[in-house]
Amino acid sequence: MSHDPHCIFCKIVAGQIPSKKVYEDDELLVFHDIHPWAPVHVLLIPKLHITSMADLQPEHAGLMGRMTVLVPRLMKELGVTNGFRTIVNTGSDGGQEVFHLHMHAIGGPRPWLKG
Ligand code: AMP
Ligand code: ZN
């Protein structure tokens, strides 16, 4: 399924739910987390509905590579100069709450206090 009409992040991709966008291209969307844990907390998502990291296939390697490589560039643009955390929660035991694959990128002072 490339788009799940019940998925909150697919709705953000489709513009049906507002978000504070940081970056967008054909394949990826980045927006601010609605409940930030630190001064900078963004979510990177593929526009394609992939439920979780557990569902990644070999053909997603390029997509995930581009997503990963984007993180340091965006952190720099958002003023993060002293390091950051990246987190991908996967499945129920992994603490995943939104079942559309996303990578948290969290920066600013002491982001580990709430994670
Ligand atoms: P996870 O536990 O990794 O699935 O995290 C889901 C994240 O999505 C949480 O940090 C939420 O604060 C965030 N979130 C949920 N709904 C929205 C939304 N409409 N806009 C931005 N972030 C959201
Ligand atoms: Zn989705």
Side-chain angles (χ1 to χ4, degrees):
M1 192 187 330
S2 64
H3 173 92
D4 176 347
H6 305 295
C7 167
I8 186 165
F9 286 177
C10 283
K11 287 183 183 173
I12 286 177
V13 170
Q16 294 162 351
I17 289 180
S19 67
K20 278 174 65 186
K21 280 184 200 171
V22 172
Y23 174 89
E24 181 170 17
D25 65 26
D26 288 351
E27 291 185 316
L28 300 171
L29 181 65
V30 185
F31 51 93
H32 289 278
D33 195 292
I34 206 164
H35 294 128
W37 304 348
V40 174
H41 184 168
V42 299
L43 300 174
L44 296 92
I45 69 169
K47 289 187 169 178
L48 183 70
H49 181 83
I50 301 170
T51 303
S52 84
M53 192 176 248
D55 294 299
L56 284 177
Q57 303 297 325
E59 63 265 28
H60 299 133
L63 177 70
M64 293 308 290
R66 280 189 289 283
M67 183 187 281
T68 306
V69 167
L70 189 56
V71 174
R73 178 183 140 191
L74 294 183
M75 289 292 103
K76 206 177 284 177
E77 286 177 12
L78 291 167
V80 173
T81 55
N82 203 33
F84 51 82
R85 247 192 187 192
T86 46
I87 301 169
V88 181
N89 295 323
T90 302
S92 298
D93 284 355
Q96 186 175 4
E97 290 177 0
V98 176
F99 284 84
H100 179 129
L101 175 60
H102 53 279
M103 181 182 286
H104 298 255
I106 306 168
R110 310 179 75 177
W112 55 87
L113 280 182
K114 277 197 184 178

